[in-house]
Amino acid sequence: MEELLKFAPRPTGAGEMFQMLRDGQPRTRADLASITGQARSTIAARIDLLMSAGLVAPAGEASSTGGRPPTTFAFRPGARVVLAVDLGATHARLAVTDLASTVLAEIEAPLAIADGPDVVLAWVAEQGDKLLETAGRKRDELVSVGVGLPGPVEHSTGRPINPPIMPAWDDVDVPGILRRHFGTAVLVDNDVNIMALGEHRTAWPEVTDMLFVKVATGIGSGIIADGELRRGAQGAAGDIGHIAVPHAPDVPCRCGNVGCLEAVASGQAVAAALRDAGLEAETSADVVALVRAGDVAASRAVRQAGRDIGSVLAACVSLLNPSIIVVGGIVADAGEHLIAGIREVVYQRSLPLATQHLRIVTSHTRARAGVLGASAMAIDHVLSPAAIDALIT
Amino acid sequence: MEELLKFAPRPTGAGEMFQMLRDGQPRTRADLASITGQARSTIAARIDLLMSAGLVAPAGEASSTGGRPPTTFAFRPGARVVLAVDLGATHARLAVTDLASTVLAEIEAPLAIADGPDVVLAWVAEQGDKLLETAGRKRDELVSVGVGLPGPVEHSTGRPINPPIMPAWDDVDVPGILRRHFGTAVLVDNDVNIMALGEHRTAWPEVTDMLFVKVATGIGSGIIADGELRRGAQGAAGDIGHIAVPHAPDVPCRCGNVGCLEAVASGQAVAAALRDAGLEAETSADVVALVRAGDVAASRAVRQAGRDIGSVLAACVSLLNPSIIVVGGIVADAGEHLIAGIREVVYQRSLPLATQHLRIVTSHTRARAGVLGASAMAIDHVLSPAAIDALIT
């Protein structure tokens, strides 16, 4: 280890300094020297490296107390682009964004994840190329790809692990396949984690402890603690769909247990209950449509689903003490019924200390949460100090 | 902000470099220059600063390929000491440790936290002074104090918030009071968090995701995620005692709800159930004594408590995906019954992905977990890069 370290390339320090510019604020060389404690000459050399890579550009002049006003420098998010891919069970959304996650071009299309990795990843490659063209960017401006998949993913390798609704994807080297096409780093995570990341970065960047809950065909969550997404030991953190609902009926679940949250309160479960009551509801979208059309039985069923979800979230609140719970996924589009049910039980079942400042809200980024998170994950990877150093040397 | 930063003292970089030496491995100046990418002269100056503060000392000679062998330098944990204080409801443990958490002197004594902060903190001050003397260390060698309290603590201020079993402590400035006596920084956290930290640093430093569960008069937990203790938005994370046990009887809990884990499965709850069955059991210790004496009813009650705790931990496993659950607290001393009950339900109720590599074990540090964690918390504070820079300049 010691020996290896001796031969590792020396960091230029430019990557580290660049982190201070990621907030978009223009700064002078003197500002950066003060903040970092480095010599002016060192700072100047680093700025030059970052400018030659296009990542930083002059941003105007600072006010001066006399003499020639010093130049300010700022991060240039448009210098490169990333491809963000959000694959669901039955639909997909792709976006090309700049390095500040601003969407430059975007498509949404139906897609069957069950068609398997060959078909789906070939489609992603083709659509990704087209989207780059639409955005007017070249392939060599693409620096990374972020992908969300609707199943458990081992984050370190980017491979799906026993994904229930996409068995053909088990242990497939998704990053390797897409890297061969795009020639860039490819980061993969499960869809709820990237939704949590997208919602956090976009709508609640100042919140340190957040729980994002997706209520759709299934139910899952993503955990932000101390400002970062937490994935757990195998990348399975947040998998709340199979937690037992206290006092729930013994509904059998596809996982083999009974009374799981997903079996009781998912869009699928609510649709099934409504069918039993004689209504036409095949999917989560049908449930949402019924609620929006004012159907009382559907509204009551969604509110009860909210209560059941709330009874599990009450436990999550006790364990994690988040300051905000954000509810997303298609069932959240059914208006206030879902969230009202969740609030009812969470505030009743949790300790006052954990709920005194707790907000429970619907997602701000909604259907875009996934691509925004995939973009953020891809950007974080290429703008890390080590990655910047590698890029510019 | 920009203006303020201009006038902040420049970091010497010595604090940052020192972090590499905290692992105790001796390194040469050339090693450190390679790792940091800094010039040899810069490294030499930083080593000199750290040596003058006594934090680093020559540790021998490295092997050489010819010529005079270079000197290695290593962290000197004995350079300073910290005071670690673990206050429970009815007992206390104090230790003076070096900067590697090696215990130099230690006492354990009965103590009633309900006597209030004036009495208790005066006792801590007196005992702390005596213990420093016992360890043969001077007051000015003490660099910080770490304290664990048996109730919720706002970590940023170190003040207890509505602590149920110690109402007189609500919002008391514990750090301020002890700082006035000891003249050093004082860090305060709740007892389960410091136990989690102590167990993690001592027994499982390589584990990134761990859940520590204390089963005693009450039940609580501490969360390690991505290698760090996570405290949540108000410092209340890990408070699992009031999560509803699925399918539990509606036992009333002191929190006002029914069926809470603490009301069903704590040492207190088990003792009450045994009294109802005609046994003599007032405290958790009595329960442990009965089990150890081979009482069948007590063993069965502890095993059932384990199952109830397991049903809540199954939800925690789904949410956090830890690779290890460590069970501590006095009831864990009742042998394998508690943990057998926990394992039974956790492995049955969780998804295979979350449990395939999950271990469930009893605490290695046992009664010392708290002081070891308080020591680690106090040390982390004074050995941070900024703190080291402040110390040596």
Side-chain angles (χ1 to χ4, degrees):
Chain A
M1 176 66 180
E2 290 291 296
E3 281 307 310
L4 273 178
L5 283 169
K6 277 185 193 162
F7 297 106
R10 291 193 179 191
T12 63
E16 197 59 53
M17 192 189 79
F18 175 72
Q19 306 307 312
M20 288 160 212
L21 293 166
R22 277 186 68 182
D23 64 5
Q25 293 301 314
R27 291 185 177 79
T28 64
R29 293 187 185 94
D31 291 338
L32 291 164
S34 294
I35 298 170
T36 60
Q38 304 285 349
R40 281 286 289 276
S41 56
T42 310
I43 297 296
R46 289 174 186 175
I47 288 280
D48 289 347
L49 279 170
L50 292 168
M51 288 216 295
S52 67
L55 288 168
V56 161
E61 291 176 345
S63 59
S64 168
T65 51
R68 193 161 66 88
T71 308
T72 63
F73 298 89
F75 173 35
R76 239 183 100 236
R80 300 284 194 290
V81 295
V82 302
L83 175 65
V85 181
D86 177 19
L87 301 178
T90 57
H91 85 284
R93 185 184 282 251
L94 278 73
V96 168
T97 82
D98 70 10
L99 298 179
S101 287
T102 303
V103 174
L104 306 177
E106 188 174 23
I107 56 156
E108 216 193 327
L111 171 111
I113 199 83
D115 286 349
D118 292 349
V119 174
V120 170
L121 295 179
W123 181 86
V124 166
E126 188 194 326
Q127 295 300 323
D129 287 345
K130 279 192 197 165
L131 210 54
L132 273 172
E133 226 178 282
T134 308
R137 307 301 292 244
K138 296 195 204 73
R139 176 73 78 80
D140 65 4
E141 294 178 272
L142 181 74
V143 283
S144 59
V145 178
V147 182
L149 292 175
V153 173
E154 189 178 58
H155 184 66
S156 56
T157 62
R159 290 168 184 256
I161 328 170
N162 299 321
I165 65 163
M166 41 190 281
W169 293 70
D170 187 30
D171 205 33
V172 167
D173 182 15
V174 176
I177 294 168
L178 291 179
R179 189 169 51 235
R180 279 192 286 284
H181 178 79
F182 291 109
T184 67
V186 178
L187 290 298
V188 185
D189 203 342
N190 83 64
D191 57 346
V192 191
N193 277 348
I194 62 162
M195 289 173 81
L197 190 61
E199 176 78 14
H200 182 247
R201 293 292 176 84
T202 309
W204 317 95
E206 80 296 346
V207 166
T208 57
D209 295 83
M210 174 181 127
L211 186 66
F212 180 90
V213 183
K214 178 189 180 185
V215 186
T217 305
I219 296 176
S221 76
I223 301 166
I224 305 286
D226 288 334
E228 303 281 339
L229 189 63
R230 304 296 167 189
R231 296 181 169 94
Q234 274 84 40
D239 203 351
I240 62 172
H242 302 276
I243 294 180
V245 176
H247 305 288
D250 281 351
V251 187
C253 180
R254 62 184 164 82
C255 78
N257 270 313
V258 295
C260 294
L261 181 59
E262 206 162 282
V264 172
S266 65
Q268 200 83 318
V270 173
L274 293 178
R275 282 199 301 279
D276 289 349
L279 289 162
E280 275 188 44
E282 283 303 316
T283 66
S284 305
D286 297 340
V287 172
V288 172
L290 281 168
V291 172
R292 287 191 165 167
D295 184 277
V296 175
S299 300
R300 290 180 58 180
V302 167
R303 191 172 182 116
Q304 182 55 41
R307 288 191 198 102
D308 292 333
I309 294 166
S311 72
V312 166
L313 293 184
C316 301
V317 165
S318 293
L319 185 61
L320 295 173
N321 183 210
S323 58
I324 189 163
I325 296 177
V326 179
V327 184
I330 184 170
V331 182
D333 292 343
E336 283 293 298
H337 298 284
L338 182 74
I339 215 149
I342 291 174
R343 286 196 186 115
E344 202 180 306
V345 179
V346 169
Y347 287 116
Q348 183 219 319
R349 236 350 296 193
S350 308
L351 289 179
L353 176 60
T355 52
Q356 77 192 44
H357 302 295
L358 177 67
R359 283 176 296 174
I360 304 178
V361 301
T362 44
S363 165
H364 285 204
T365 53
R366 297 189 168 252
R368 252 193 182 174
V371 288
L372 291 173
S375 163
M377 175 172 68
I379 292 167
D380 284 352
H381 181 77
V382 293
L383 296 189
S384 72
I388 292 285
D389 282 329
L391 182 74
I392 64 183
T393 48
Chain B
M1 178 66 181
E2 291 289 296
E3 282 306 310
L4 272 178
L5 284 167
K6 276 185 193 163
F7 297 107
R10 292 192 177 192
T12 64
E16 198 58 54
M17 192 189 79
F18 175 73
Q19 305 308 311
M20 288 160 211
L21 292 166
R22 279 187 67 182
D23 64 5
Q25 293 300 314
R27 291 184 176 81
T28 64
R29 292 188 187 93
D31 291 338
L32 291 165
S34 294
I35 298 170
T36 60
Q38 304 284 351
R40 281 289 286 277
S41 56
T42 308
I43 297 296
R46 290 174 185 176
I47 288 280
D48 288 348
L49 277 171
L50 292 167
M51 287 216 294
S52 67
L55 288 169
V56 160
E61 290 176 344
S63 60
S64 167
T65 50
R68 194 162 64 89
T71 309
T72 62
F73 297 88
F75 173 35
R76 239 184 99 235
R80 301 284 193 289
V81 295
V82 301
L83 175 64
V85 180
D86 177 18
L87 302 179
T90 57
H91 85 284
R93 186 184 281 252
L94 278 74
V96 168
T97 82
D98 71 8
L99 298 180
S101 288
T102 302
V103 173
L104 307 177
E106 188 174 23
I107 57 156
E108 214 192 328
L111 171 110
I113 199 84
D115 285 348
D118 292 349
V119 174
V120 170
L121 295 178
W123 181 85
V124 167
E126 187 194 325
Q127 295 298 323
D129 287 343
K130 279 193 196 161
L131 210 55
L132 272 172
E133 224 178 285
T134 310
R137 306 302 290 249
K138 296 195 205 75
R139 177 74 78 80
D140 65 4
E141 293 178 273
L142 181 73
V143 283
S144 58
V145 178
V147 181
L149 293 176
V153 173
E154 190 179 57
H155 185 64
S156 56
T157 61
R159 291 169 183 254
I161 328 172
N162 299 322
I165 66 165
M166 41 191 282
W169 292 71
D170 186 30
D171 204 34
V172 167
D173 182 16
V174 177
I177 294 169
L178 291 178
R179 189 169 52 233
R180 277 192 287 283
H181 179 80
F182 290 110
T184 67
V186 178
L187 291 297
V188 185
D189 203 344
N190 83 63
D191 58 346
V192 191
N193 276 349
I194 63 164
M195 289 174 81
L197 189 62
E199 176 77 15
H200 181 247
R201 292 291 176 85
T202 309
W204 317 96
E206 79 296 347
V207 166
T208 56
D209 294 83
M210 173 181 129
L211 186 66
F212 180 90
V213 183
K214 178 188 180 186
V215 186
T217 305
I219 296 177
S221 77
I223 302 166
I224 305 285
D226 289 334
E228 303 282 339
L229 188 62
R230 304 296 167 190
R231 296 181 169 94
Q234 273 83 40
D239 202 352
I240 62 172
H242 302 277
I243 293 179
V245 176
H247 306 288
D250 281 350
V251 188
C253 179
R254 61 180 165 85
C255 78
N257 271 312
V258 296
C260 294
L261 181 58
E262 207 163 281
V264 172
S266 65
Q268 200 84 318
V270 174
L274 293 177
R275 281 199 303 279
D276 288 350
L279 289 163
E280 275 186 44
E282 284 303 316
T283 66
S284 305
D286 296 341
V287 172
V288 173
L290 281 167
V291 173
R292 287 191 165 166
D295 183 276
V296 175
S299 300
R300 288 181 59 182
V302 167
R303 192 174 183 115
Q304 182 54 41
R307 288 192 197 101
D308 291 333
I309 294 167
S311 71
V312 166
L313 292 184
C316 301
V317 165
S318 293
L319 186 61
L320 294 174
N321 183 211
S323 58
I324 189 163
I325 295 177
V326 179
V327 184
I330 186 170
V331 183
D333 291 343
E336 282 294 297
H337 298 285
L338 183 73
I339 213 149
I342 291 175
R343 286 196 186 113
E344 204 181 305
V345 178
V346 169
Y347 288 116
Q348 183 220 320
R349 233 355 290 196
S350 308
L351 290 178
L353 176 60
T355 52
Q356 79 191 46
H357 301 295
L358 177 68
R359 284 176 296 175
I360 303 178
V361 301
T362 45
S363 165
H364 286 203
T365 53
R366 295 188 168 255
R368 253 194 182 175
V371 287
L372 291 172
S375 162
M377 175 171 68
I379 292 167
D380 284 352
H381 181 77
V382 294
L383 296 189
S384 72
I388 292 286
D389 282 329
L391 183 72
I392 64 185
T393 49

